[in-house]
Amino acid sequence: MKKWQRSSMASWLVCLFCLPSIFTSGNGLIFDENQLNGLATIANKSVTNASQPVSMSVQVLNCKAWGYCDETPELRFTLEYQGSDSSDYVMHIQVGDRHYESPSSPAEIEVSLTDNDGVNVRYWVESATTRSIYGQDDFRMRYIKNGSQFILELLGDQWESDIPSGALIWNIFPPLEVFEDGWAKRIEDPDELDTEIDYTLLAGKLIWEGIVTPTECGDNGLLGNGAANTCGMEAAREEVIEWQNLHNQDIQEASLNALVPARLLKGVIGQESQFYAKWELPKEYGLGMLTERGVDMLLQWNEAYFFYECSLIYGADYCRRGYLNIPDERQAVLIGYIMKDIGTVDEYAVIAAAIYASCVQANYIVSYYTDEAPADVADYETLWRISLGVYHAGFGCMSDAVLNAWDEDSDTLAWENIASHLVGDCNSAIDYFDKVVNYSVE
């Protein structure tokens, strides 16, 4: 399957949110509440890009970046620099409205509980002589109690592969129950994807092709529409179960690589094709019923996927200009290159990448039409409903529905309001998410 991706120095320890107004550690860490306005100016200075001689890295100690903690978690910030002298540089860390600085590295911060919204963490390096700012980066952090346990959640590119699917795009903390054991759960073992769903259309195709022979069934086990009747389904059930679970490992690998939920990926395939790839429908192909226009949208909105696939044909230097900045004829070549994966084991990666692209489109739609951050107006499930609606019904359907559903006097973008504006050919998006989830878990 093709793959595309995504020393003995002083250390200090400080408890967030529980410090006095001014604190200085023996190693030079300084916190001063009265300097926040001036420090905000420093934090917002333009970042120096030339050569970047220095930066900062962050590492989680005592806990996973996204998981339950047996000990109090700590964040270790380390100065990364070229050369032997780092004395010219000061590390800055701002957690919420509190700012800390240290001329020494590494710096270890003990994390305290946050509210459900979490806090923003920003960090950067400043040159003491030139006042230039280097390596500025940020992430969101939430550390909350769940029953008798504590869970740490970090939303940042550094932990992209650990974050529940879509959450980093939308900068949102999902409900615990959804990613712990629900449709958004990260699947490590392909056997967790096993399902035993009576796909009657698939059963009908297996009978029609002679893979299953229902000798004791009337009408050869088939209904007039080609689906298996009750007897035919019973005769084909064992083969149907094997068929729908045959590529669980490919689905799991594609989902991890594309950063989408494996269960939703499997559910999309179940809903679109019932795991039968040879349906003869106008301009729709394969297990995910992909269209050439759908692949065009995939290449527009999933930049990492575009760059990987484009580089295989035209080279990395050429492809850095972006999909929309290459000639139409070369876009057509790329679309055809992707479409050739339909019907092969690489198709699972294409479908997964298309779902990820739909999440990016959902982010744009909500941000553009509400003029708000998606996490501020919609919950995690609603954003996934919009994303799968984009995959199934298209960008136009979902953008029109969100535009018409948004009420500036309201602070919430509710799915029931969006669904009420999905009319005509867009109507099938209303319960598409529910059907996918139904096919994703047994």
Side-chain angles (χ1 to χ4, degrees):
M1 181 184 293
K2 293 189 295 186
K3 295 288 185 182
W4 59 275
Q5 305 298 99
R6 303 206 166 275
S7 70
S8 59
M9 296 182 178
S11 163
W12 44 265
L13 182 66
V14 38
C15 174
L16 300 183
F17 317 117
C18 58
L19 296 176
S21 61
I22 296 184
F23 173 83
T24 304
S25 78
N27 293 314
L29 171 67
I30 298 173
F31 164 70
D32 188 348
E33 267 183 356
N34 301 317
Q35 295 180 356
L36 287 180
N37 291 334
L39 290 167
T41 301
I42 294 175
N44 289 318
K45 287 173 63 177
S46 60
V47 179
T48 300
N49 293 317
S51 71
Q52 288 288 333
V54 66
S55 62
M56 287 172 65
S57 63
V58 58
Q59 176 186 6
V60 183
L61 305 178
N62 301 334
C63 190
K64 294 181 179 180
W66 201 282
Y68 286 96
C69 305
D70 295 326
E71 303 178 56
T72 301
E74 299 173 9
L75 300 176
R76 173 180 288 171
F77 295 87
T78 304
L79 193 65
E80 308 285 350
Y81 60 94
Q82 302 172 5
S84 58
D85 185 12
S86 63
S87 60
D88 181 53
Y89 301 109
V90 177
M91 295 195 304
H92 292 266
I93 305 164
Q94 188 155 341
V95 183
D97 60 357
R98 290 178 175 269
H99 176 271
Y100 309 91
E101 64 180 67
S102 176
S104 58
S105 174
E108 294 176 359
I109 296 179
E110 184 178 279
V111 179
S112 290
L113 291 174
T114 70
D115 60 22
N116 284 332
D117 292 330
V119 293
N120 291 319
V121 180
R122 174 188 282 179
Y123 56 97
W124 67 96
V125 183
E126 181 180 14
S127 168
T129 54
T130 67
R131 313 303 291 178
S132 296
I133 302 297
Y134 300 98
Q136 183 170 271
D137 207 346
D138 61 84
F139 59 91
R140 286 186 68 196
M141 174 177 69
R142 183 167 77 167
Y143 183 48
I144 57 175
K145 189 173 184 180
N146 182 37
S148 61
Q149 297 177 296
F150 297 87
I151 187 168
L152 178 68
E153 301 166 333
L154 302 176
L155 286 172
D157 292 336
Q158 307 93 320
W159 307 283
E160 183 179 50
S161 61
D162 299 315
I163 297 171
S165 303
L168 184 57
I169 298 173
W170 306 317
N171 200 27
I172 193 171
F173 294 108
L176 297 176
E177 63 273 10
V178 173
F179 69 83
E180 286 186 315
D181 198 32
W183 48 264
K185 180 183 179 182
R186 179 185 176 90
I187 302 298
E188 302 290 353
D189 182 355
D191 289 343
E192 292 184 73
L193 292 173
D194 281 350
T195 53
E196 297 183 0
I197 296 171
D198 285 350
Y199 288 115
T200 57
L201 290 172
L202 171 60
K205 284 296 184 182
L206 296 178
I207 293 170
W208 183 260
E209 294 182 3
I211 297 172
V212 173
T213 306
T215 55
E216 299 182 1
C217 297
D219 297 321
N220 200 33
L222 296 172
L223 297 172
N225 64 357
N229 60 26
T230 302
C231 181
M233 184 65 242
E234 186 64 34
R237 180 169 289 112
E238 184 176 336
E239 191 71 32
V240 166
I241 291 173
E242 180 179 353
W243 198 279
Q244 65 191 269
N245 294 312
L246 190 61
H247 290 280
N248 281 350
Q249 183 169 344
D250 296 316
I251 292 171
Q252 183 246 3
E253 291 177 358
S255 74
L256 291 177
N257 197 41
L259 305 176
V260 299
R263 285 176 171 166
L264 288 191
L265 173 56
K266 184 166 185 177
V268 164
I269 296 171
Q271 172 61 26
E272 292 289 341
S273 67
Q274 296 199 2
F275 295 88
Y276 184 79
K278 296 184 289 184
W279 296 108
E280 296 180 0
L281 297 175
K283 300 181 180 181
E284 295 187 20
Y285 309 97
L287 296 170
M289 293 297 165
L290 288 167
T291 65
E292 291 184 3
R293 179 169 175 77
V295 173
D296 176 71
M297 296 296 284
L298 157 60
L299 293 169
Q300 285 188 49
W301 292 90
N302 191 329
E303 294 181 357
Y305 184 83
F306 156 73
F307 184 75
Y308 175 83
E309 297 290 345
C310 180
S311 297
L312 295 177
I313 302 177
Y314 300 122
D317 288 342
Y318 181 84
C319 296
R320 286 193 180 94
R321 65 186 65 189
Y323 179 71
L324 294 178
N325 294 317
I326 65 175
D328 291 349
E329 59 270 21
R330 291 201 167 185
Q331 291 182 7
V333 169
L334 269 174
I335 291 171
Y337 181 69
I338 303 302
M339 293 297 292
K340 73 177 178 55
D341 287 340
I342 303 301
T344 75
V345 71
D346 291 320
E347 182 178 359
Y348 299 100
V350 178
I351 300 170
I355 293 173
Y356 181 90
S358 297
C359 293
V360 180
Q361 292 175 77
N363 187 69
Y364 175 83
I365 290 169
V366 175
S367 300
Y368 184 82
Y369 288 112
T370 69
D371 199 29
E372 301 283 352
D376 292 338
V377 295
D379 59 30
Y380 185 65
E381 182 177 305
T382 296
L383 291 168
W384 265 110
R385 286 179 179 274
I386 296 170
S387 300
L388 291 189
V390 169
Y391 178 90
H392 173 67
F395 183 93
C397 283
M398 298 313 302
S399 59
D400 287 347
V402 169
L403 169 63
N404 291 318
W406 177 246
D407 180 356
E408 292 185 359
D409 294 330
S410 171
D411 59 359
T412 302
L413 187 61
W415 177 252
E416 53 267 29
N417 294 337
I418 297 172
S420 67
H421 295 284
L422 290 167
V423 297
D425 292 340
C426 301
N427 183 266
S428 60
I430 293 176
D431 60 353
Y432 185 77
F433 174 87
D434 301 297
K435 290 177 178 178
V436 166
V437 170
N438 185 56
Y439 282 140
S440 70
V441 292
E442 186 66 313

